[in-house]
Amino acid sequence: MRHVLIVGATRTAQIDGISAAGASPGMVAHTPSADAEIVAFGQPVRSPMAPASPTGCPTPAVVTRAVRELLGFDLLTVDTGLITPTAAPTVTAGAEPGHDVREAVAVPTAEGISATARALGEGVPDDDLLIGESIPGGTTTALGVLAALGEPYMVSSSRQDNPIDRKTDVVAAGLDASDIERGDLAGDPLAAIAAMGDPVFAGLTGFVRGRLAAGRSVTLAGGTQMIAVAAALRHLGVDEPLNVTTTSFVADDETADVTAAADALNVELTVIDPRFERANLEALERYVHGEAKEGVGMGGALARAQDAGISQGTVHRRIEQCITRLESADGS
Amino acid sequence: MRHVLIVGATRTAQIDGISAAGASPGMVAHTPSADAEIVAFGQPVRSPMAPASPTGCPTPAVVTRAVRELLGFDLLTVDTGLITPTAAPTVTAGAEPGHDVREAVAVPTAEGISATARALGEGVPDDDLLIGESIPGGTTTALGVLAALGEPYMVSSSRQDNPIDRKTDVVAAGLDASDIERGDLAGDPLAAIAAMGDPVFAGLTGFVRGRLAAGRSVTLAGGTQMIAVAAALRHLGVDEPLNVTTTSFVADDETADVTAAADALNVELTVIDPRFERANLEALERYVHGEAKEGVGMGGALARAQDAGISQGTVHRRIEQCITRLESADGS
């Protein structure tokens, strides 16, 4: 098994109230770079600290790292346009962060990113692939792509309270700036990503297309961003089976009905309950209260641990070890 | 355990008669990119084919990959300046291949590569690190650095017959072009690398310095290139213990007395005999006759397999599987 982690950035994350993927607004730019380092090395290397939300909720990268330590799976990180450098080894599919979706063009290089990721997805030989992402602001840009495609689904949030009004306003401003109406780009997801998406979205879509073109399957490990990717693939005419594996935190989010969206898109939805309320870990309490929810392939990684017969108690203990290591690395 | 694989290129490899790291001169540029893919994925992904010598001797990358499949160790590939893109995830420490050593400057960015690699070496948290390399022409540039430092050691070769006269002529032309005499850059190895080395050499030296600065050890997995790196470190005033682990193919090469060089540099030398004559594998016959010898961390990887109690028969069978997979991938 290999985890394909597609990372990048969008200036959309800097809009006030959009992203909780950083302890402070200034830290958000480091989040995908640090997430990749945590999955690769178990701790930040070039990045200044481990990502956490303003309330101290640790990044889902620690969950994926914990499962990686238990299962020993391989990693392929794809950089579609980070703001800060990462010490995690990456394949480069894009050179710059996405623009604020409220500009006319959000991802000028969407086609190039998609083509590079597609070739990579076609070439990677592993039988079992889990594809995840890290991009602060990614649910807002996903909502932007869905709007351009004319799809009605609402996205979830890494915040406890989904700032739906804020996201909807940003997307409306983005459609205006791009001079398009909702649904104008139905059937043309690359144009929708260029106008309203982010670099990671372009990478995810391209990678999965390549994988399917090679006659192989892939698990989309994530929440409503992955549902939006599935929608984009359906608009491309992809009719192969698609699986999205996510956490119960996303599935239980009533602001975004992921089950209905999966049904409508003919996507198989696998939901894993991390049972963090049983972990007796203060650091995971924020998850139980609906923060973070998903990201960095967390739900898919937990599902693979379950498939391998690893108990949730073992996973929880390993998460605790990973968090303790991060705390001592931050303090050193 | 983690394998740090530092890859890059030098135009020196294009000098007639210097490198056997490619089935034809045109393929040499792909070799380090493909080697990294083979260790990462078990087969080429972006690269056109698996590297082999003109006589068909397979790249040592297959040996390291075979051990990786048995031990499941992690990988960190550092790109110091490749000619062709690789699908292996990398950390970038340099942007362009080194020049022909017969030019005035061989590695204009030696300091930047070294500084980036040093920071990485300081930050990577793993306790056990094995550092290897892939750069065609690397023994010639290593000889160039040794000459600039005034060190008398001869380097080995991936060819069955070491083209010592050819290498010595190239190095003499390089010293002339750089307007230096043998030994002029004693005590200044970064200047020696800039004048006569290659980007991988700069990366290796920097990475090991960072590692030692962090109070940790590292195994230099390679042949006379690693001896030359050890010499450069001694010229920097590094007096920590250094270990070079290499194959008996290098240790038995009478054209390059690696044992004497290690003694003189106060380097602990670990020699592993791959026993390929017992493998009964046609593809490995060329090794038994003195081709390839070492590279891509091969000797160090084999030593780690032995330390882990894995029999040589098991390693040989896994190498056979890796070679069979490469042959079917090349044919597909």
Side-chain angles (χ1 to χ4, degrees), chain A residues 2 40-41 68 74 87 90-91, chain B residues 2 40-41 68 74 87 90-91:
Chain A
R2 184 184 300 268
F41 299 109
R68 183 163 184 246
D74 244 325
T90 60
V91 175
Chain B
R2 185 184 300 270
F41 299 108
R68 183 164 183 245
D74 244 326
T90 61
V91 175

Side-chain angles (χ1 to χ4, degrees), chain A residues 278-279 310-319:
Chain A
R278 297 186 184 177
I310 295 173
S311 75
Q312 287 186 311
T314 301
V315 173
H316 294 161
R317 281 192 297 277
R318 181 62 72 144
I319 294 171

Side-chain angles (χ1 to χ4, degrees), chain A:
Chain A
M1 188 266 230
R2 184 184 300 268
H3 178 40
V4 178
L5 176 58
I6 303 198
V7 297
T10 163
R11 301 287 178 195
T12 308
Q14 287 158 6
I15 302 172
D16 194 39
I18 286 292
S19 178
S24 65
M27 294 305 293
V28 171
H30 294 287
T31 294
S33 307
D35 278 347
E37 292 176 357
I38 289 168
V39 182
F41 299 109
Q43 63 183 63
V45 174
R46 277 188 186 173
S47 300
M49 61 183 293
S53 76
T55 64
C57 181
T59 168
V62 299
V63 178
T64 301
R65 171 67 193 188
V67 176
R68 183 163 184 246
E69 292 182 10
L70 292 168
L71 294 183
F73 56 78
D74 244 325
L75 183 63
L76 168 59
T77 305
V78 181
D79 174 5
T80 62
L82 291 167
I83 293 174
T84 60
T86 182
T90 60
V91 175
T92 301
E96 54 167 27
H99 303 170
D100 187 325
V101 288
R102 297 171 305 179
E103 296 180 31
V105 177
V107 192
T109 55
E111 279 203 40
I113 296 168
S114 175
T116 303
R118 185 176 179 166
L120 196 61
E122 205 162 339
V124 169
D126 308 71
D127 288 326
D128 183 17
L129 274 192
L130 198 70
I131 186 167
E133 55 67 39
S134 173
I135 177 166
T139 55
T140 301
T141 41
L143 185 66
V145 175
L146 289 169
L149 295 173
E151 294 290 350
Y153 318 114
M154 178 46 62
V155 292
S156 188
S157 171
S158 63
R159 291 174 173 266
Q160 192 173 346
D161 297 310
N162 195 349
I164 290 181
D165 290 348
R166 192 85 194 93
K167 287 179 179 177
T168 308
D169 287 351
V170 166
V171 167
L175 291 171
D176 269 1
S178 303
D179 203 20
I180 52 175
E181 305 270 344
R182 172 176 290 275
D184 271 3
L185 299 176
D188 193 355
L190 266 180
I193 297 167
M196 298 293 295
D198 62 59
V200 167
F201 200 113
L204 290 166
T205 309
F207 193 94
V208 176
R209 281 184 83 183
R211 184 81 181 158
L212 296 174
R216 312 183 89 149
S217 65
V218 60
T219 301
L220 293 161
T224 48
Q225 277 164 274
M226 292 304 183
I227 291 289
V229 168
L233 290 163
R234 295 299 182 222
H235 276 258
L236 278 165
V238 167
D239 55 10
E240 282 95 339
L242 293 171
N243 175 283
V244 170
T245 298
T246 193
T247 64
S248 53
F249 305 128
V250 170
D252 293 346
D253 179 4
E254 290 172 4
T255 66
D257 192 348
V258 70
T259 310
D263 281 349
L265 293 163
N266 191 25
V267 166
E268 181 193 34
L269 185 70
T270 305
V271 177
I272 181 107
D273 184 346
R275 297 279 185 182
F276 283 166
E277 75 282 1
R278 297 186 184 177
N280 203 17
L281 270 178
E282 200 189 331
L284 297 180
E285 277 297 303
R286 304 303 312 167
Y287 279 86
V288 177
H289 292 103
E291 255 193 78
K293 294 189 188 70
E294 176 57 275
V296 201
M298 166 183 162
L302 288 170
R304 286 293 196 280
Q306 188 178 74
D307 293 348
I310 295 173
S311 75
Q312 287 186 311
T314 301
V315 173
H316 294 161
R317 281 192 297 277
R318 181 62 72 144
I319 294 171
E320 184 174 15
Q321 289 170 23
C322 288
I323 290 172
T324 304
R325 192 194 307 135
L326 286 182
E327 286 166 352
S328 75
D330 275 352
S332 68

